[in-house]
Structure formats: C-alpha cells, structure tokens
Amino acid sequence: MVGEGIGKVMKEQSLCKGLPPDICAQLSMEQQVIKIRLEKRRFGKEVTVIDGISETSFNLEELASILKSKLAVGGTAKNGRIELQGDHRHRVKKILVEMGFPEENITVIY
C-alpha cells in the first residue's frame, strides 16, 4: 500500500492514464532502484546521498522536505538526488520502506 506523504510527491504520469492512481503509484515505486550512500565533504562533514529516484515520477523537493522533517536535519534536492546532512543511511531506508518503496530496490552502500 502506498504510504502517506508519497501521494503528494507523486507527479502526474502520461504512462498511467488508464490505471487507477494507487496502482500507478505502486508501479512507479517498484521501478525505482534507489542507492543510499555517505559522502565526506570539507572539514570532515558527512552527507547522506539518495540517488535513483526518478524526477519524472516524484517531486524530489517535496520528498526531501518529508525526509528532512522526519529526520530533523538540513538538506537539499539537486542534480536529481537528495542530500541530507549527517549519516542517516539506515533511517532513510526505513522511512522510504514505510512510504511504500520496495525494500529489495533500496541499496545502502557502505
């Protein structure tokens, strides 16, 4: 079942015009191959990077906003990826699974 919050970050798709919205959302989520990794920045700062979520299917800014509020961190959505301040790889995976993304399509890179 599609989790709460994901309905407002889904974009209208021309591919799913004949399908009910719930089925369209589920199909779109199952097609995503999401990679969550940690990057080191200047001065030893850590950033959690989420790649692989389609910009054509989801509004990355709204999805980033949901993640930032649930994790109580700063971050941004740019260049087709979401960046969150700090190391939140496992918590992000748990939240995305709760939102309805299939767990087997989410890879945490160490």
Side-chain angles (χ1 to χ4, degrees):
M1 190 68 176
V2 178
E4 96 179 39
I6 201 67
K8 66 181 177 180
V9 290
M10 284 289 301
K11 289 185 178 179
E12 282 296 318
Q13 293 184 353
S14 60
L15 299 173
C16 296
K17 283 194 176 182
L19 294 174
D22 289 343
I23 294 174
C24 182
Q26 189 65 32
L27 284 173
S28 181
M29 281 194 246
E30 288 177 0
Q31 293 174 351
Q32 308 297 317
V33 179
I34 302 169
K35 296 177 185 168
I36 304 170
R37 69 178 189 280
L38 189 69
E39 286 185 0
K40 294 270 186 172
R41 298 286 170 89
R42 287 201 269 170
F43 308 113
K45 302 276 183 183
E46 296 179 332
V47 177
T48 302
V49 179
I50 305 155
D51 274 329
I53 300 175
S54 172
E55 290 182 270
T56 58
S57 300
F58 299 94
N59 186 337
L60 290 183
E61 273 118 31
E62 287 187 28
L63 186 57
S65 177
I66 292 168
L67 289 171
K68 291 187 312 185
S69 66
K70 287 187 181 230
L71 296 169
V73 298
T76 186
K78 62 181 180 182
N79 301 329
R81 62 193 208 166
I82 298 173
E83 299 178 1
L84 302 171
Q85 296 172 352
D87 184 2
H88 303 286
R89 291 174 286 187
H90 295 289
R91 293 175 64 196
V92 167
K93 180 177 180 176
K94 182 179 174 189
I95 292 169
L96 290 176
V97 169
E98 288 172 359
M99 292 178 82
F101 288 95
E103 187 171 1
E104 58 272 4
N105 289 2
I106 302 173
T107 305
V108 178
I109 301 171
Y110 296 97

